[in-house]
Amino acid sequence: MERLQRLRQAVRRFWKKTHMNQIIILAGAVFLLAFLGFFWYFAATANVESLKKGLAQSTVIYDKDGDMASKISANRTEGVSIDKMPDHLKNAIVAIEDHRFYQHNGFDVRGMSSAFFKNIVAGRITAGGSTITQQLTKNALLSPERTYKRKVEELFLAVEIEKKYTKDEILEMYLNQVFFGHSAWGVQNASRTYFGKDVEEIDLSEAATLAGIVNAPSALDPYNHMDRAIKRRNTVLGAMKKYGMISDKEYENAKKEQLVLEDRGRDPIKGKYPYYVDAVLDEAIKTFGLTQDEIMTRGYRIYTEMDQNIQSSLEKIYDNDRNFPQGMGGELVQSGSILIDPKTGGIRGLVGGRGEKVFRGFNRATHLKRSPGSTIKPLVVYTPALEEGYKPDSLLKDEKMTFGKNYSPDNYNGQYQGEVTMYKAIEDSINIPAVWLLNEIGIDKGIDAVERFGIPLQKNDRNLSIALGGLSTGVSPQQMAEAYSAFANDGKRLDSHIITKIVGPTGKTIVERKQKETKVTSKKVAKDMTSMLLNVVESGTGKGVNVSGYQIAGKTGSTQLNNQNRNGTADQWFVGYTPNLVGAVWMGYDRTDENHYLSGLSSQGVVPVFQTIMQGTLKYTEPTKFDVDSINTQIQKQYEKDHPFKTKAKEFNKKLKDSTEKLRDKAEKGHKKMKEKFKEGKENWKDLEDRVKEKIRDIQGD
């Protein structure tokens, strides 16, 4: 105890002797000055004078060659002057967002203090306390993250903006770029999107509704949440009354008004390739953490893997209804397709649907979750079987049987051959051999393989029905194309992607993709699979896909209808590839029922669609050959090797037949020529005879 007391006294003497209090205070002051100095410098050097120009920039999408492909804009260039905005709109925004807007110089100490204490109570940042100027700063110059560092940056920049612009200019810029939900940026677009009229025509109730939406655009969207939107509108009207902007009578009348919605807004995608651009936004948001608001308003340059020739061809095919089966019940047969470079994983083109396109709507090339049917067989059954020592000509059982207690799958045509080779089972897409083989090698082997191919699985997918595509959540064309890319790339799978890098408006690279490669299987197994999948296209269920100069391997797939009284399919798939391009196509209805389904098999439905796509897009890739032959060609070569005399005799007979046909053609041509000459001579004799007779008549007449 005495030692501890002596230690404390020694520390106190040292503290006083070295003036530690003064040192700490001085260090704190220096740190604070440096801290504030940094942010002051940051604000002073920020080019706030170019704010108006910056708000008019579009985000530009570039293709794989660095050429401009499309633009994304929040339509801020269609903003309106503050003079054309009705006073009740300006008052509504000020009342609910920043009622001291005309009193402060960029930041409001009262508002920030209130927000600070709210955050302390909540234990996290829930309230921003931002003024309209600070919100403009955040939207135009800063990231949307909620941190105290960003709040300080926001504060200093807001002060600089207030020095450069008048209050009306600040309010005009804010109202012309703020996001109102439903793909509408700026009050002009919001007015047309929600009420079908220009901003100068909206009344008090409509203005209060728009002002209320800004706080939470998705949650307060009147198209989806009318009750919430009205409640929020009334809150705005209450604030306007509180601050003397409207009278009691105006308040009551506006509260009673019914909102009449009418959408005359515009799609914010200004350029071409809307489905591809939608997918660009999805990837930028999900993979790189950007927000839609940032992308639409910051003027980024986004570099992608798009091939504009392939994308344009794909869109033309989908715009032509004759390329697809006729729909039932007045609905379109829907489809989604995607094309990937197997060597890089780059998505060269995609289309997410047919008919009317909705901005950032459902994209069937990337968002779809449907059973892949038999297209999963090479992934979950035949690849792991080859890895376990099976060969393309291994015999597999094909007879009616029950697996476990109650799983009794059927072949589609109800026919069973007893035994078939592996390549024949793949070629004709026979079900029983696939299920039997998965049972033989073990479900764990299949699960491991399909996960290596990048297909996500659920716990309840661990059963033999996975051999026929029985998945809990299904797959998208993007996932299937990426999986099959391993066969085209010697067993290696690269993550499918669109974006290579994103560059900010200042020229700084914000994000850049790092390539990720996964070894799925060996080069030999990939070649064996390709040799069997070439057979599918040459003589199996994919027969009909044939582009001159290109070798195409692939697999069809379909899912059965729940209604056994109907003859058709719910989903149809084709996943195919060349050495340089992998394509996956899904076709079906968004909602399959007894009145909406695909009649016939994949060979009559999706196969012709895939053929049209390959015909239109492969010409923009190199016609490289696989370094493996199809099973059909291998069998033919082996036959010629084993039976050289028969082969030579066959070749001699063919030559003899060709020679005979040539002689026959020559004889027929000679005979035809002689016949024509005889006919011509006969006509000449008849003409001479007629002239002699005419001469005799003349003599007799004389």
Side-chain angles (χ1 to χ4, degrees):
M1 190 70 180
E2 291 180 1
R3 288 183 181 179
L4 182 60
Q5 190 173 1
R6 284 198 299 270
L7 179 62
R8 285 178 180 174
Q9 290 174 351
V11 170
R12 284 174 185 170
R13 286 195 299 270
F14 175 79
W15 194 272
K16 288 180 181 181
K17 185 178 180 180
T18 56
H19 305 287
M20 288 300 294
N21 285 338
Q22 291 90 331
I23 292 172
I24 290 173
I25 292 171
L26 180 62
V30 170
F31 174 78
L32 180 61
L33 286 172
F35 179 77
L36 295 176
F38 167 77
F39 287 108
W40 174 84
Y41 177 78
F42 172 78
T45 55
N47 190 9
V48 296
E49 291 182 342
S50 65
L51 183 60
K52 278 187 176 180
K53 183 179 178 181
L55 289 172
Q57 290 180 343
S58 296
T59 287
V60 181
I61 309 296
Y62 294 91
D63 68 9
K64 67 180 181 66
D65 299 317
D67 297 324
M68 189 178 76
S70 190
K71 287 184 178 181
I72 312 174
S73 170
N75 288 334
R76 292 163 297 167
T77 55
E78 299 174 8
V80 293
S81 167
I82 193 75
D83 298 329
K84 291 187 177 181
M85 298 179 193
D87 288 339
H88 47 254
L89 172 63
K90 292 181 280 186
N91 288 335
I93 285 288
V94 170
I96 198 66
E97 289 295 318
D98 182 9
H99 69 275
R100 286 172 41 80
F101 174 66
Y102 291 103
Q103 282 77 51
H104 62 66
N105 292 318
F107 65 94
D108 186 1
V109 176
R110 294 183 192 175
M112 292 176 64
S113 299
S114 174
F116 178 78
F117 287 111
K118 286 180 181 178
N119 294 335
I120 293 295
V121 172
R124 57 189 177 90
I125 299 179
T126 59
S130 296
T131 64
I132 285 175
T133 311
Q134 287 175 276
Q135 290 183 52
L136 177 64
T137 302
K138 177 190 71 175
N139 292 338
L141 300 173
L142 299 173
S143 70
E145 61 181 343
R146 285 191 167 189
T147 63
Y148 287 113
K149 174 180 176 292
R150 201 223 62 200
K151 293 298 295 182
V152 175
E153 292 174 339
E154 195 179 278
L155 186 150
F156 277 87
L157 284 170
V159 172
E160 290 297 316
I161 287 173
E162 290 269 352
K163 291 178 183 178
K164 304 294 183 184
Y165 299 101
T166 67
K167 289 289 186 181
D168 278 352
E169 287 177 323
I170 292 169
L171 189 59
E172 179 183 307
M173 287 188 287
Y174 175 78
L175 287 170
N176 278 325
Q177 62 79 41
V178 70
F179 184 51
F180 287 89
H182 217 74
S183 303
W185 277 262
V187 287
Q188 173 66 4
N189 294 310
S191 299
R192 294 189 62 82
T193 296
Y194 291 112
F195 306 117
K197 59 180 75 171
D198 291 329
V199 65
E200 56 260 40
E201 299 172 354
I202 62 174
D203 60 25
L204 174 59
S205 174
E206 293 165 340
T209 302
L210 292 181
I213 290 172
V214 172
N215 180 255
S218 298
L220 298 172
D221 181 348
Y223 281 109
N224 300 317
H225 308 288
M226 177 61 82
D227 292 343
R228 296 179 192 172
I230 290 175
K231 184 178 179 181
R232 179 67 175 171
R233 176 201 66 181
N234 294 343
T235 300
V236 175
L237 291 169
M240 295 177 76
K241 186 179 77 166
K242 175 182 176 182
Y243 299 119
M245 297 173 177
I246 58 174
S247 65
D248 290 345
K249 185 177 180 180
E250 288 175 317
Y251 170 74
E252 293 298 335
N253 289 339
K255 274 185 68 176
K256 293 175 184 177
E257 184 177 316
Q258 296 292 318
L259 293 178
V260 179
L261 303 180
E262 183 179 0
D263 189 352
R264 290 187 180 180
R266 300 181 182 180
D267 191 324
I269 294 180
K270 294 292 191 180
K272 300 181 289 184
Y273 319 129
Y275 275 112
Y276 197 99
V277 173
D278 270 5
V280 170
L281 267 71
D282 285 347
E283 190 170 294
I285 292 167
K286 294 177 182 177
T287 305
F288 298 112
L290 301 181
T291 67
Q292 178 175 292
D293 198 8
E294 280 183 282
I295 299 166
M296 304 296 283
T297 60
R298 295 294 173 81
Y300 288 146
R301 299 199 301 274
I302 303 180
Y303 293 84
T304 74
E305 296 277 11
M306 180 198 297
D307 184 312
Q308 291 195 63
N309 290 320
I310 288 176
Q311 181 66 30
S312 296
S313 297
L314 202 55
E315 291 188 3
K316 287 178 183 177
I317 291 166
Y318 271 72
D319 287 340
N320 189 347
D321 291 341
R322 289 178 295 180
N323 291 325
F324 296 86
Q326 188 172 356
M328 296 180 174
E331 288 191 28
L332 286 174
V333 172
Q334 275 300 343
S335 179
S337 63
I338 194 166
L339 297 165
I340 294 176
D341 182 341
K343 302 295 188 295
T344 66
I347 296 175
R348 297 295 186 232
L350 65 85
V351 172
R354 299 177 61 211
E356 185 178 353
K357 161 75 175 58
V358 177
F359 174 63
R360 292 205 70 197
F362 187 60
N363 191 326
R364 296 165 189 84
T366 57
H367 298 159
L368 186 80
K369 296 297 177 187
R370 291 292 186 97
S371 167
S374 293
T375 57
I376 204 171
K377 291 175 181 175
L379 314 180
V380 73
V381 179
Y382 296 115
T383 290
L386 291 170
E387 291 171 344
E388 289 299 301
Y390 283 83
K391 299 183 182 303
D393 60 355
S394 294
L395 290 175
L396 314 178
K397 284 192 176 180
D398 179 28
E399 55 190 47
K400 184 66 178 172
M401 64 181 78
T402 299
F403 299 89
K405 294 181 179 179
N406 55 7
Y407 183 49
S408 303
D410 298 309
N411 288 340
Y412 183 83
N413 58 10
Q415 298 177 4
Y416 305 90
Q417 303 174 51
E419 282 186 334
V420 292
T421 57
M422 181 189 292
Y423 71 82
K424 194 64 178 174
I426 296 175
E427 182 179 321
D428 293 337
S429 197
I430 308 173
N431 289 338
I432 295 297
V435 180
W436 176 84
L437 184 55
L438 180 58
N439 189 55
E440 288 294 303
I441 64 174
I443 187 71
D444 289 339
K445 295 284 196 308
I447 296 293
D448 174 67
V450 80
E451 288 179 339
R452 277 183 273 136
F453 279 105
I455 304 298
L457 299 176
Q458 306 298 323
K459 287 183 178 180
N460 54 352
D461 290 332
R462 194 182 181 283
N463 59 76
L464 290 176
S465 67
I466 195 175
L468 306 182
L471 299 179
S472 303
T473 56
V475 293
S476 67
Q478 180 179 353
Q479 289 170 322
M480 292 306 294
E482 182 183 318
Y484 271 65
S485 69
F487 298 138
N489 193 35
D490 296 333
K492 300 185 293 282
R493 173 177 63 85
L494 286 92
D495 283 2
S496 60
H497 63 279
I498 291 175
I499 297 171
T500 57
K501 68 177 178 178
I502 300 176
V503 178
T506 62
K508 180 182 178 182
T509 299
I510 298 170
V511 293
E512 193 161 9
R513 172 170 289 278
K514 295 180 180 178
Q515 198 172 66
K516 183 181 178 182
E517 181 181 295
T518 302
K519 183 178 180 181
V520 177
T521 191
S522 68
K523 185 175 181 179
K524 182 182 185 309
V525 168
K527 285 186 176 183
D528 284 343
M529 279 306 314
T530 294
S531 68
M532 292 188 284
L533 293 173
L534 282 166
N535 255 38
V536 173
V537 174
E538 288 181 4
S539 54
T541 56
K543 190 176 181 181
V545 175
N546 183 18
V547 179
S548 179
Y550 292 86
Q551 277 188 306
I552 303 172
K555 183 74 185 73
T556 59
S558 62
T559 61
Q560 294 181 351
L561 293 170
N562 292 329
N563 191 336
Q564 299 297 324
N565 297 323
R566 303 282 181 176
N567 184 22
T569 54
D571 306 279
Q572 291 184 4
W573 291 82
F574 196 104
V575 188
Y577 59 96
T578 70
N580 298 315
L581 197 66
V582 184
V585 181
W586 167 86
M587 193 168 72
Y589 287 91
D590 288 335
R591 291 187 178 180
T592 301
D593 55 36
E594 61 182 7
N595 297 316
H596 301 92
Y597 60 91
L598 300 171
S599 58
L601 302 174
S602 299
S603 56
Q604 293 101 37
V606 75
V607 170
V609 174
F610 190 82
Q611 162 66 12
T612 304
I613 290 172
M614 291 293 100
Q615 195 77 48
T617 60
L618 282 182
K619 57 189 174 185
Y620 301 113
T621 68
E622 290 293 326
T624 311
K625 298 284 187 182
F626 289 112
D627 54 1
V628 64
D629 293 323
S630 68
I631 295 295
N632 289 336
T633 302
Q634 291 179 33
I635 292 173
Q636 178 63 31
K637 286 182 176 180
Q638 188 61 43
Y639 178 84
E640 292 172 358
K641 182 179 179 180
D642 294 342
H643 304 84
F645 294 109
K646 287 185 178 181
T647 301
K648 288 182 179 180
K650 187 176 181 180
E651 289 175 356
F652 176 77
N653 288 336
K654 187 177 184 303
K655 289 180 181 178
L656 182 62
K657 184 179 179 181
D658 292 342
S659 299
T660 303
E661 287 178 354
K662 287 180 181 179
L663 288 172
R664 185 186 297 125
D665 291 341
K666 190 174 181 180
E668 287 178 353
K669 287 179 182 178
H671 176 71
K672 185 178 180 181
K673 192 173 182 181
M674 289 180 63
K675 189 175 181 181
E676 287 174 352
K677 286 185 177 181
F678 178 76
K679 184 178 180 181
E680 183 181 349
K682 187 176 180 181
E683 289 175 352
N684 291 338
W685 277 106
K686 189 175 185 304
D687 183 57
L688 179 62
E689 183 182 0
D690 290 341
R691 281 188 289 171
V692 170
K693 286 181 179 180
E694 186 177 352
K695 190 68 177 174
I696 292 172
R697 282 196 297 269
D698 291 342
I699 295 172
Q700 289 177 346
D702 293 340

